[in-house]
Amino acid sequence: MNTLEQDLEKLVYERPDTLVETTTHYCPGCTHGVAHRLIAEVIEEMGLRDRTIGVASVGCSVFAYNYFDFDFVQAPHGRAPAMATGVKRTLPDRVVLTYQGDGDLASIGMGEIVHAAARGENITVVFLNNANYGMTGGQMAPTTLPGQKTSTSPSGRDVETAGFPIRASEMLSTLDGSSYVVRRSLHDPKSIRLAKKALRTAFEVQIRGLGFSMVELLSICPTNWGMTPVDSLHWLESNMLPYYPVGDYKINPIVAEIKI
Amino acid sequence: MQTDIIISGFGGQGVLFAGQLLSYAAMDEGKNVTWIPSYGPEMRGGTANCTVVVSDEEIGSPMVRFPDAVIVMNLPSLDKYESLVKPGGLLVINTSIIDRKATRTDIRVVEVPANEIAEEIGDRRLTNMVLLGCLVSNLPILPLAAISKALKEHLPARHQKLIPANMQAIEKGASFQAAPVR
Amino acid sequence: MARELLKGNVAIAEAAIRAGLTSYFGYPITPQTELLEYLSARMPEEGRAFVQAESELGAINMVYGAACTGARVMTSSSSPGISLMLEGLSYIAGTEVPMVLVDVMRGGPGLGNIAPAQSDYNQIVHGGGHGDYHVIALAPANVQEAIDMTVLAFDLAEKYRSIAVVLIDGSLGQMMEPAELPPFKPLATQFPEWAVRGAEGGRERRFLSSIYLSPPEEEKANLRMLRRWKDVEANEIRYKEYFMEDAKYVVTGFGSSGRVALSAVRAARAEGIPVGLLRPITVSPFPYKVYEELSKKVDGMLVVEMNTGQMLEDVLKAAQGRTPVEFYGRVGGIVPLPDEILTEIHRLVEEKPAVGGHPRDRWMDRMIKMN
Ligand SMILES: Cc1ncc(C[n+]2csc(CCOP(=O)(O)OP(=O)(O)O)c2C)c(N)n1
Ligand code: SF4
Ligand SMILES: [Mg+2]
């Protein structure tokens, strides 16, 4: 490379320092990686690295602690909000986040998340909704859409026997303890920018001690959906978005004043 | 008599299916047989292998450290299993994607350009069948016809049209004979 | 019926259907998930109840409710999920209603991994949940036995108003073997006199509970359950012996450990070593008497497990220092291979270890040196 070329080179995209340099175990095209990057960028931009503690859940993101360069613990399936409560109550000045899948948060862990929100627990929950159980090979999740085929709803989710999908953000927004509950999507660059902004707000909420914050992120699972990553993004847009509209479901009036 | 076989390669090379077909054939010939895949974190890592034990008596361990015969479909598999084959045992190497030779002289080695053969027949996915045909023809455990019979009996109806090509692959593989122990 | 090539998990699921499984409740967890997936298709096909519960906690209590109706009910899970079910199991035991539980064990403790292990032995055999209760625990070692033991589990659970567990490890769940499925049993039309199904025809009402506020009543209930357990102990012990007629040494292990040991025992026999294999099939009730008698005859025993020596304690209790007992275990999801066990047989025969000390301590010393 000659010097002229070097001068013309301008780095526009860099790995944030809070993201460890390592190969990912996620499948090609999986948006778990995008969510990780957004969190790392926000933690770094806010200068929170040294006082953030993450709580990993059980799902494909069980190894989240391998990617973030800050402290982490790892919870039993569904119990991350309880573990986060324990960490936060013991170390109130730390920033505590959980990273949970839809099976983890809205199925086995429904009790823990509801009560963390009801208590107004001052933690931030990143909720990754990919409409199935990714890690165990694509079983039906509480968020699986009506008619959606999974390995335990082989003829498509039958709402007569398997019930209806749960809209976790809408549900948690009804609790007085929740301060900031929003849904965003990871299916295109504009949505991703909005998702990042929401994460930033969520951490601001926690830092200001305003109580429970959660950002739900609609995400893809190309491997278990049996589609290419690109088709998966389209599928998300045309199937998940109508059922799970992006939006702000709970904004504490003080939060509304936060300018970022 | 008992024969312990390992088939190993990348996920997607049909390693598990080749082992299952062999197991069906052994079962239909009245043998005892076990088929056990590697599962778990290894799956994501991209390597896949299965162990097939064929025996005339009740089978003890379905897993073995020192196999009688191994098919290696990629280099990591050759590196892992070459040293473990029992002396006098059989090693079938897919030379299409393995550019290293076996170094052992106390085992029977047979080299098969299986990808090229499969492509000649018209479908790259037949690589595993070429190698399986080679394995069976070099072991005294089952007649080659048992494999074709198993294909006919156990392949779902919608795949039956693939049988002629599969048979061609198996027979082509069977024409490769291992050099005797040097 | 012809032999079919069946995967352990699928074989158990289909055997349960044929044994008259009316309602199944479960939750995904590797290496058990094929059971749930298979039944998600097959149960609706047969017009029977299938629910993927919100958690293992949900699943076991769905089972609790279904079991109270006297129907044949089952759930399945793997180690961490079984831990969550223990509360429900204690309630079900205390209510004296039958159910079948399949535990496809994996490495632990905690989240551990998804590789095969046998470290739920204590959790299953020696309780786990609170209170005095026993479960019948069957430990098949091959796919045919897994099928037969599943059918038997339903029969025994009903006969003794007990929980019956089919205890296997992940490798048996994932492995394929030729096996024969049983014929279809029709679903029950007659139900036991305790079953809660609605007081049809104006019969006296029934209720099922595990609460006995009055201690003397609770004591009576405990003794009633214990009496039933004594019958189980007297009638239902099962085990399998190999090369035992002239054996001077005995290798013993349940499930996969037992079958791996068979290869080692054969190899030792080929060398002329007079060694046999005892493979318990009921690990609860445990065949204490069989081990006790053996300990009077043999020159040494080797216990092989995929844990740090859980069944070992039961063997030691039976052997009472009458013969040397040695232990070999692999843990964390590692399956011992025949050559390792053969080495241990050689050691047992050549070193003639003394009675006394603890076999686990000696094993640990060897493992630490190895690692
Ligand atoms: C108590 C318990 N039950 C079940 C499991 C098995 N398990 C591991 S991950 C998982 C589902 C994860 O799905 P989700 O939370 O949607 O995350 P994703 O993988 O889709 O990101 C399950 C059921 C477990 N580890 N522990
Ligand atoms: S299984 Fe699905 S959610 Fe998990 S890493 Fe792969 S694509 Fe992502
Ligand atoms: Mg999910």
Side-chain angles (χ1 to χ4, degrees):
Chain A
M1 223 192 292
N2 62 39
T3 42
L4 181 67
E5 266 175 359
Q6 252 172 15
D7 287 341
L8 291 175
E9 246 177 32
K10 193 173 147 222
L11 204 52
V12 292
Y13 197 69
E14 216 178 353
R15 178 180 53 79
D17 286 341
T18 40
L19 211 53
V20 176
E21 189 167 2
T22 176
T23 35
T24 163
H25 78 287
Y26 294 110
C27 306
C30 177
T31 39
H32 263 298
V34 177
H36 281 25
R37 185 187 168 90
L38 297 184
I39 294 169
E41 283 177 357
V42 169
I43 297 284
E44 184 155 311
E45 286 161 19
M46 295 174 77
L48 296 176
R49 186 233 170 237
D50 295 352
R51 59 182 183 113
T52 298
I53 299 171
V55 183
S57 67
V58 181
C60 282
S61 56
V62 68
F63 300 119
Y65 51 80
N66 284 338
Y67 305 119
F68 295 109
D69 180 34
F70 44 84
D71 282 4
F72 248 89
V73 292
Q74 205 265 303
H77 194 23
R79 318 296 173 215
M83 241 180 127
T85 299
V87 174
K88 185 75 182 183
R89 295 284 177 126
T90 312
L91 301 170
D93 62 339
R94 305 302 197 279
V95 174
V96 179
L97 79 126
T98 72
Y99 186 106
Q100 302 176 257
D102 44 338
D104 191 86
L105 180 140
S107 196
I108 193 168
M110 189 54 108
E112 280 71 10
I113 192 69
V114 166
H115 286 280
R119 285 193 304 271
E121 208 59 62
N122 197 27
I123 58 173
T124 299
V125 173
V126 181
F127 169 39
L128 202 108
N129 179 356
N130 59 12
N132 78 31
Y133 288 82
M135 179 173 228
T136 41
Q139 293 78 28
M140 186 183 73
T143 45
T144 294
L145 298 174
Q148 186 184 336
K149 281 190 184 160
T150 69
S151 70
T152 52
S153 55
S155 344
R157 181 178 187 153
D158 175 2
V159 294
E160 292 290 327
T161 53
F164 294 88
I166 293 175
R167 295 184 181 93
S169 289
E170 286 86 332
M171 196 178 126
L172 295 174
S173 70
T174 65
L175 299 168
D176 292 343
S178 65
S179 216
Y180 182 71
V181 178
V182 302
R183 182 182 294 120
R184 299 290 183 264
S185 177
L186 300 175
H187 72 282
D188 63 20
K190 180 165 173 254
S191 306
I192 291 172
R193 273 197 300 279
L194 294 173
K196 181 175 173 185
K197 211 169 155 202
L199 286 168
R200 169 111 203 198
T201 309
F203 286 115
E204 288 286 353
V205 166
Q206 182 177 164
I207 288 164
R208 294 173 200 215
L210 297 176
F212 182 84
S213 55
M214 179 172 99
V215 180
E216 174 174 349
L217 298 171
L218 301 181
S219 188
I220 60 168
C221 178
T223 298
N224 290 309
W225 292 0
M227 292 174 211
T228 63
V230 174
D231 287 348
S232 299
L233 294 170
H234 293 313
W235 192 87
L236 186 163
E237 191 176 4
S238 42
N239 295 279
M240 287 180 78
L241 275 181
Y243 207 97
Y244 300 112
V246 160
D248 299 346
Y249 291 96
K250 181 71 171 285
I251 306 268
N252 176 326
I254 314 175
V255 176
E257 287 161 23
I258 299 178
K259 293 273 173 293
I260 55 173
Chain B
M1 196 190 67
Q2 177 168 320
T3 310
D4 304 334
I5 299 156
I6 290 175
I7 306 177
S8 182
F10 291 124
Q13 281 184 311
V15 163
L16 302 185
F17 178 78
Q20 282 181 4
L21 184 61
L22 177 61
S23 305
Y24 275 115
M27 175 178 79
D28 294 346
E29 291 286 301
K31 307 262 185 199
N32 290 313
V33 60
T34 57
W35 171 93
I36 193 163
S38 61
Y39 73 95
E42 276 187 49
M43 267 163 48
R44 286 253 170 96
T47 70
N49 71 68
C50 64
T51 304
V52 177
V53 178
V54 180
S55 178
D56 295 316
E57 45 182 9
E58 180 180 342
I59 296 174
S61 179
M63 295 175 212
V64 294
R65 189 182 319 277
F66 305 112
D68 297 295
V70 181
I71 297 178
V72 291
M73 297 182 69
N74 63 7
L75 185 60
S77 303
L78 177 62
D79 291 343
K80 181 168 174 193
Y81 290 111
E82 182 182 359
S83 63
L84 298 178
V85 179
K86 274 190 202 145
L90 176 72
L91 180 63
V92 180
I93 302 179
N94 177 14
T95 51
S96 300
I97 54 168
I98 302 176
D99 54 8
R100 166 167 98 67
K101 294 239 173 241
T103 55
R104 278 185 61 182
T105 54
D106 62 335
I107 56 175
R108 296 189 299 143
V109 176
V110 51
E111 299 181 333
V112 187
N115 289 33
E116 280 88 348
I117 295 172
E119 272 158 26
E120 256 167 50
I121 297 170
D123 192 341
R124 205 200 173 106
R125 286 171 301 178
L126 294 170
T127 306
N128 56 348
M129 292 297 106
V130 174
L131 294 163
L132 182 65
C134 175
L135 177 98
V136 171
S137 78
N138 280 281
L139 287 176
I141 53 170
L142 294 173
L144 205 59
I147 302 286
S148 47
K149 205 166 129 234
L151 268 175
K152 285 190 199 103
E153 309 240 314
H154 302 288
L155 216 57
R158 66 194 138 87
H159 290 147
Q160 289 278 333
K161 58 178 186 302
L162 303 173
I163 289 181
N166 273 274
M167 279 315 303
Q168 221 182 321
I170 290 167
E171 273 155 25
K172 192 80 207 198
S175 67
F176 287 78
Q177 288 298 307
V181 175
R182 270 183 271 163
Chain C
M1 274 276 191
R3 292 199 308 169
E4 294 170 55
L5 194 63
L6 294 167
K7 195 176 222 187
N9 281 337
V10 169
I12 289 175
E14 182 60 32
I17 288 181
R18 288 165 186 239
L21 176 65
T22 306
S23 308
Y24 171 89
F25 310 95
Y27 188 76
I29 184 166
T30 317
Q32 163 272 165
T33 305
E34 290 92 348
L35 246 151
L36 172 84
E37 289 176 338
Y38 183 84
L39 289 172
S40 76
R42 281 287 283 131
M43 291 296 274
E45 224 170 81
E46 296 287 333
R48 306 186 192 175
F50 168 93
V51 178
Q52 181 182 317
E54 70 277 18
S55 68
E56 291 85 352
L57 226 52
I60 192 68
N61 288 291
M62 291 174 189
V63 163
Y64 189 12
C68 288
T69 72
R72 291 201 151 183
V73 297
M74 179 172 99
T75 185
S76 56
S77 190
S78 174
S79 312
I82 302 291
S83 297
L84 275 178
M85 291 183 177
L86 289 177
E87 179 199 44
L89 287 177
S90 169
Y91 275 72
I92 290 168
T95 310
E96 301 166 68
V97 288
M99 69 158 287
V100 172
L101 169 70
V102 182
D103 179 2
V104 188
M105 295 179 278
R106 63 186 231 181
L111 202 50
N113 58 39
I114 59 177
Q118 297 183 319
S119 42
D120 290 4
Y121 181 92
N122 279 342
Q123 151 159 298
I124 295 294
V125 172
H126 294 300
H130 62 283
D132 274 293
Y133 73 93
H134 297 270
V135 305
I136 298 167
L138 306 165
N142 55 55
V143 174
Q144 186 64 59
E145 239 173 51
I147 291 170
D148 299 344
M149 291 305 110
T150 300
V151 176
L152 180 68
F154 282 102
D155 293 341
L156 294 182
E158 248 164 37
K159 183 168 174 196
Y160 297 102
R161 293 182 64 169
S162 169
I163 296 164
V165 182
V166 178
L167 186 66
I168 66 172
D169 66 83
S171 70
L172 184 49
Q174 298 298 320
M175 126 183 188
M176 290 178 101
E177 245 179 335
E180 209 174 306
L181 287 162
F184 269 89
K185 257 192 205 143
L187 292 188
T189 48
Q190 297 279 320
F191 295 92
E193 78 296 336
W194 49 259
V196 167
R197 306 179 62 86
E200 227 177 288
R203 70 150 165 74
E204 212 178 303
R205 80 185 186 94
R206 299 167 183 165
F207 83 96
L208 288 168
S209 161
S210 66
I211 187 171
Y212 295 94
L213 272 188
S214 131
E217 286 299 313
E218 180 70 279
E219 186 175 62
K220 227 184 337 185
N222 268 272
L223 290 174
R224 179 174 64 239
M225 287 183 253
L226 189 59
R227 209 160 35 241
R228 229 181 266 136
W229 181 249
K230 288 287 152 197
D231 287 346
V232 178
E233 284 183 330
N235 303 320
E236 307 299 348
I237 302 272
R238 285 170 173 78
Y239 55 91
K240 207 165 166 190
E241 294 179 314
Y242 302 79
F243 308 107
M244 285 297 286
E245 313 75 43
D246 60 340
K248 283 216 176 75
Y249 300 92
V250 182
V251 181
T252 184
F254 70 98
S256 291
S257 296
R259 79 176 285 171
V260 174
L262 175 60
S263 297
V265 166
R266 278 206 192 109
R269 278 277 170 180
E271 296 173 5
I273 301 173
V275 56
L277 171 70
L278 171 63
R279 179 163 65 75
I281 294 175
T282 48
V283 284
S284 174
F286 189 73
Y288 286 109
K289 275 263 145 36
V290 179
Y291 285 91
E292 193 182 313
E293 290 310 313
L294 268 180
S295 70
K296 294 174 188 163
K297 290 200 306 221
V298 299
D299 294 342
M301 292 192 195
L302 171 66
V303 181
V304 180
E305 295 181 79
M306 283 144 65
N307 59 43
T308 62
Q310 299 190 13
M311 188 183 90
L312 169 65
E313 296 295 341
D314 288 323
V315 174
L316 286 172
K317 201 158 111 189
Q320 300 223 357
R322 279 181 291 258
T323 192
V325 175
E326 285 291 88
F327 173 69
Y328 185 67
R330 292 308 301 264
V331 288
I334 299 176
V335 182
L337 291 179
D339 61 295
E340 299 167 52
I341 301 174
L342 183 60
T343 307
E344 294 297 312
I345 295 173
H346 287 155
R347 230 176 33 76
L348 177 69
V349 173
E350 282 152 25
E351 290 180 16
K352 302 206 186 316
V355 173
H358 202 291
R360 186 186 295 110
D361 296 339
R362 294 193 287 274
W363 165 73
M364 246 173 70
D365 285 344
R366 295 196 299 276
M367 289 297 279
I368 288 166
K369 272 187 213 126
M370 246 175 60
N371 285 315

